[in-house]
Amino acid sequence: MVCSTAAALVLVAALALVAASPGRALNLDTTGADDVPEIVTETDPKYQIPKSFLLGAGTASYQTEGAWNKDGKGENVFDYLYHKRNYPTNKTGDIACNSYERYEEDIKLAAQMKLDVYRFSIAWTRIFPNGDIAEKNEKGVQHYHNVIKTIKANNMKPMVTIYQFDHPQALETKFGGWLSEQMVEAYVDFADFVFSEYGSEIEHWVTINEANLHCTLVYNGLFPPGTRDANHTVADIYKCIHHEILAHATAYRLYEQKYKKEQGGLLGFGSVSYLARPNSSEWDDIIASDRTNMFDVGLLLHPLIYGDYPAVVKETLKLAHGDEPFLPEFTEEQKQTLPGAIDFVAVNAYLATIVADRRKEDPNRGGGGRGPGMIPMKGVWTDANVTTVVQDTSNIYAEVNTRVPTMHCKKKIEGDFTLKRDTTRRSFTAPGQIHFSTPPMGV
């Protein structure tokens, strides 16, 4: 089942429900407690949100739009693989939230929640069905004009993600997608068109979302075009990340030279961060947590600030893999153009992790070789040479009585409300018709 307005929208739903209780930001069950936490009131100036702060929600095209082959849309990597493997419709994005046809309704719901920003991603194959910029799909182009117009009509700012995982299958077949340098040029051509077509209406862009997570999932065989039975390597993960960084930076410089003066937009680069902290006050664990963060958000952002990958990442990979070139090198010219190729940092923070140096053995620590969320994965987080510490969270929901919906694992929801099945969208809905689920992993 693939229908999601992203975890951010669920979070916003929680905030909206909290705000519905006058005078309180949290309803804690503190019966018999001596250390009662401070109750935050709506009028307390210490906790007032700055007027410049933008609160919004995000969606992704494959997870929400549906209409996978409607009005001239081409086949993306998800469409190709899931159809090839005969996945049932409710396990694919064929229908998803059906937001392609119901975007007006979805946007109005977001507006009812008093959001400032509505973020959406553009389906590459809805604009260029085969990835060829000479073959433009006018209906797809017009669709996103309609989306932007509707967002603004509902007094929200549109924020656009140019790419979130769903590139044309034709480019994968032609030269291997993100494993090829040709993908950098293909992406920049796509971004150039998007800037030209929609740039006058957009203030904030995310060029590529979650490059570190995307490449790790794909080349661990968890997301298309990767598969479990393919011979993917750790080097493929770093090559993919390398090319996505270059694609972002090249698109950024193009925008800077060609559109910035007239449009005045800001470009960010999306990264997942699992916010590692040390398991103890021991120096080895402190260094391990810093190393994890460098393999995490640092892997993507360090090159865009300093022109190269973090030294600790290079050194750690060399210790682990010797002189084998797992991490591609930037050319001297690229090192000169990378620094400053970013206007804002876009960090997606789903959860935090506690880590320990893997060289130390402790029966209370989880095994190595796992990514955040305890998913067995190779590359990036595993290469940081740390162990994720497993803690007992079985009573976490019993400790707080908030009456707030909490997203947990796949579709488990905690709180005082009932999920309802929406048969027209192949999704579940919570109060306010917030639509969500998770895409299938491991194909």
Side-chain angles (χ1 to χ4, degrees), residues 104-124:
E104 292 178 294
E105 176 187 345
D106 290 340
I107 292 168
K108 287 179 181 178
L109 288 169
Q112 289 173 16
M113 296 167 67
K114 306 300 183 184
L115 301 183
D116 303 308
V117 175
Y118 190 99
R119 176 183 167 201
F120 66 94
S121 74
I122 293 177
W124 194 332

Side-chain angles (χ1 to χ4, degrees), residues 194-252:
V194 170
F195 292 145
S196 175
E197 189 71 24
Y198 307 110
S200 62
E201 301 292 330
I202 306 300
E203 296 179 28
H204 296 91
W205 303 87
V206 175
T207 54
I208 296 173
N209 193 39
E210 301 180 340
N212 50 350
L213 181 63
H214 174 231
C215 295
T216 301
L217 290 176
V218 167
Y219 296 106
N220 271 276
L222 297 172
F223 264 20
T227 62
R228 282 291 199 182
D229 53 7
N231 190 28
H232 303 305
T233 68
V234 176
D236 291 337
I237 297 171
Y238 291 108
K239 186 181 292 185
C240 171
I241 290 173
H242 189 78
H243 290 152
E244 292 196 13
I245 292 172
L246 289 175
H248 158 81
T250 307
Y252 179 93

Side-chain angles (χ1 to χ4, degrees), residues 86-97:
N86 294 316
Y87 270 54
T89 300
N90 69 338
K91 293 288 186 181
T92 73
D94 290 4
I95 298 174
C97 301

Side-chain angles (χ1 to χ4, degrees), residues 128-394:
F128 300 114
N130 297 308
D132 186 346
I133 59 172
E135 300 178 11
K136 181 173 61 175
N137 177 28
E138 293 292 351
K139 288 186 177 180
V141 174
Q142 185 58 45
H143 170 72
Y144 293 111
H145 277 298
N146 296 342
V147 169
I148 292 168
K149 182 179 179 180
T150 304
I151 292 170
K152 289 195 165 188
N154 281 272
N155 299 313
M156 292 182 290
K157 294 178 180 290
M159 184 176 188
V160 173
T161 299
I162 299 175
Y163 173 78
Q164 183 156 335
F165 304 4
D166 54 347
H167 58 273
Q169 176 60 33
L171 300 183
E172 194 68 29
T173 302
K174 186 176 181 180
F175 50 70
W178 288 109
L179 293 183
S180 170
E181 288 186 23
Q182 294 180 64
M183 191 64 167
V184 175
E185 182 179 354
Y187 169 83
V188 173
D189 286 342
F190 173 49
D192 189 5
F193 173 82
V194 170
F195 292 145
S196 175
E197 189 71 24
Y198 307 110
S200 62
E201 301 292 330
I202 306 300
E203 296 179 28
H204 296 91
W205 303 87
V206 175
T207 54
I208 296 173
N209 193 39
E210 301 180 340
N212 50 350
L213 181 63
H214 174 231
C215 295
T216 301
L217 290 176
V218 167
Y219 296 106
N220 271 276
L222 297 172
F223 264 20
T227 62
R228 282 291 199 182
D229 53 7
N231 190 28
H232 303 305
T233 68
V234 176
D236 291 337
I237 297 171
Y238 291 108
K239 186 181 292 185
C240 171
I241 290 173
H242 189 78
H243 290 152
E244 292 196 13
I245 292 172
L246 289 175
H248 158 81
T250 307
Y252 179 93
R253 295 304 182 197
L254 179 142
Y255 184 88
E256 184 179 54
Q257 296 166 12
K258 194 172 177 180
Y259 302 105
K260 181 77 170 181
K261 184 176 180 180
E262 180 182 347
Q263 297 179 2
L266 300 174
L267 276 63
F269 188 44
S271 170
V272 165
S273 177
Y274 291 99
L275 307 170
R277 60 187 178 92
N279 182 53
S280 74
S281 59
E282 295 181 17
W283 185 246
D284 285 346
D285 286 350
I286 293 172
I287 294 299
S289 68
D290 181 68
R291 188 167 63 245
T292 303
N293 290 327
M294 285 296 100
F295 267 88
D296 191 341
V297 68
L299 190 67
L300 298 187
L301 299 182
H302 203 277
L304 300 175
I305 306 244
Y306 301 105
D308 204 355
Y309 295 113
V312 66
V313 170
K314 292 183 174 182
E315 293 164 2
T316 304
L317 285 175
K318 189 170 184 179
L319 287 173
H321 304 294
D323 292 328
E324 191 172 350
F326 271 73
L327 189 65
E329 294 186 6
F330 294 113
T331 66
E332 290 303 316
E333 181 181 357
Q334 289 167 348
K335 289 179 181 179
Q336 297 301 314
T337 59
L338 282 169
I342 188 170
D343 294 322
F344 64 91
V345 175
V347 176
N348 295 340
Y350 296 109
L351 53 90
T353 53
I354 302 173
V355 301
D357 190 276
R358 191 183 294 160
R359 292 168 293 185
K360 295 156 53 178
E361 296 183 359
D362 187 323
N364 295 320
R365 290 174 179 152
R370 292 180 180 270
M374 301 311 296
I375 301 172
M377 290 193 290
K378 60 191 176 186
V380 188
W381 294 284
T382 301
D383 283 339
N385 200 25
V386 299
T387 296
T388 303
V389 178
V390 181
Q391 293 187 328
D392 181 13
T393 59
S394 58

